[in-house]
Amino acid sequence: MAVEKLLKDEATEEKGERARMASFVGAMAIADLVKTTLGPKGMDKILQSTGRGHSVTVTNDGATILKSLHIDNPAAKVLVDISKVQDDEVGDGTTSVVVLAGELLREAEKLVNAKIHPMTIISGYRMAAECAKNALLEKVVDNKLDAEKFKADLMKIAMTTLSSKILSQDKEHFAKLAVDAVMRLKGSTNLEAIQIIKKPGGSLKDSFLDEGFILDKKIGVGQPKRIENAKILVANTAMDTDKVKIYGARVRVDSMAKVAEIEVAEKEKMREKVQKIINHGINCFVNRQLIYNFPEELFADAGVLAIEHADFDGIERLALVTGGEIASTFDNPESVKLGHCKLIEEIMIGEDKLIHFSGVEMGQACTIVLRGASPHMLDEAERSLHDALCVLSQTVNDSRVLLGGGWPEMVMAKAVDELARKTPGKRSHAIEAFSRALVAIPTTIADNAGLDSAELIAQLRAEHHKEGSTAGIDVISGSVGDMSELGISEAFKVKQAVLLSATEAAEMILRVDEIITCAPRRREDRM
């Protein structure tokens, strides 16, 4: 190495072929990692952290798996990010997007080795993605106008989303929960109004949807257990002023009697505050901080239900749902918005007592209570349900629906293949490769179910050459089935997001020709 060193110690650069090699290999490794979780027969992964407590997560959600990995390879990080974005944007399809991007890169690698320039490949992929999207647009079904059919579509979508998750055994039950919850939102995608409470015990079948709001707290001692037509003040304030709270204050007294006077004065102060709160004309007071026995006693005397230490999530949600605002000063009662609900009572779920607010202002609010054998099971159930809720709330807004089970990929692949035949020049190779990458998704679904994927995909392709075919992979019977009869549907929005994100990610990784790794700056250099 007679060449002058350009980069400092500990920094490395990889150029051209080697850089591309590294990024392809990394991206494909990540794709292969989550590949096995795809489809109704996909397997789960156990993620165990090496930190304190060795917490264990069992999951099948692509984004959750990838989020938990610490990855060194830069290209792999790009894939992790697209799955995160997919999770935030539409909630489902997190695995598909990574698998598709990985396959696009795998195909691209072959093309690069065949001396086709990456830019040519990218422009081919661009054309192919556009063509695939249009092919889907021609085939979408939109039942927005017919409420019954639309609800049936939502049920199918929910069941399809859940069938690759842990809830697949009771998917009808959970699909119904999810559809009911989302229908109550009346088209807003704000999932905060749907609260999910996890209570170990019972089985997954015991989960239910409750209109209204459930706060995971007990009602204090000596307080009314049931309030009708409640007016609720939601507050975040300290209710423990029976100590001098001025830090570093020194009060010198010359006798014990004086100490008692100070204590009395403090009690008075507290009593005034409680009185101010009661003057709002409320009969339920929910505080985020703790309430001492003395004020609690005062509230009980006034017949006000005081709930302390409600966690922050609970409070914000409660305020949102009952239509109140969180207050912290009580001097002018007219400016504080109170929350309202018809009935507050205590209910039992399993062993625990909870407070149930029913008949709340915001009609769209509801609570889903999940029951299950173990905390891991509940966590995974919550993730799966969250995926379903996201997809449904997106579908309510954009009601275009497609069939599932590898059908959309085959439709796209067919259209893209036709485009490849019409396109002159080297780009046609890239377009053909795109269609092969699309077929990888149904192939993976079949492989995960232990079926002969080559045979099935060939049959599927033949089926799709007939006009208006609805064929897809029926994993249960292990053959090519009719997706519209089986009721396997997916949201158009999810598929579109998968297609576009995967193409863009693959494009980004393809553009790389050099990876420079720098060492962090040393502290001593600054002296």
Side-chain angles (χ1 to χ4, degrees), residues 229-245:
N229 294 333
K231 295 190 180 68
I232 307 163
L233 177 63
V234 186
N236 180 3
T237 180
M239 298 297 289
D240 48 0
T241 5
D242 51 359
K243 305 189 284 297
V244 174
K245 268 286 179 66

Side-chain angles (χ1 to χ4, degrees), residues 453-464:
S453 59
E455 168 71 15
L456 272 178
I457 299 301
Q459 284 180 13
L460 200 51
R461 186 171 267 155
E463 278 292 317
H464 271 269

Side-chain angles (χ1 to χ4, degrees), residues 35-97:
K35 208 183 213 174
T36 51
T37 67
L38 192 69
K41 288 271 201 299
M43 302 309 252
D44 291 8
K45 306 263 182 256
I46 288 187
L47 312 169
Q48 182 179 22
S49 83
T50 48
R52 292 212 319 265
H54 291 281
S55 59
V56 173
T57 316
V58 183
T59 181
N60 161 314
D61 180 36
T64 312
I65 296 170
L66 295 179
K67 241 187 287 194
S68 320
L69 299 177
H70 289 289
I71 296 167
D72 200 21
N73 185 303
K77 284 201 172 124
V78 173
L79 289 193
V80 174
D81 286 344
I82 56 168
S83 92
K84 273 189 199 156
V85 169
Q86 180 80 8
D87 198 24
D88 298 341
E89 187 60 33
V90 283
D92 195 27
T94 48
T95 312
S96 320
V97 70

Side-chain angles (χ1 to χ4, degrees), residues 16-18 20-21 24 104-122 125 426 429-430 433 509-512:
E17 277 309 293
R18 283 195 50 199
R20 198 165 287 127
M21 228 2 250
F24 282 158
L104 286 172
L105 289 169
R106 182 163 296 159
E107 293 295 335
E109 187 184 21
K110 295 176 194 160
L111 295 174
V112 171
N113 291 344
K115 296 281 176 281
I116 294 176
H117 192 280
M119 284 304 157
T120 315
I121 301 175
I122 286 173
Y125 276 4
K426 280 186 180 176
H429 292 296
I509 295 172
L510 264 174
R511 281 170 182 265
V512 173

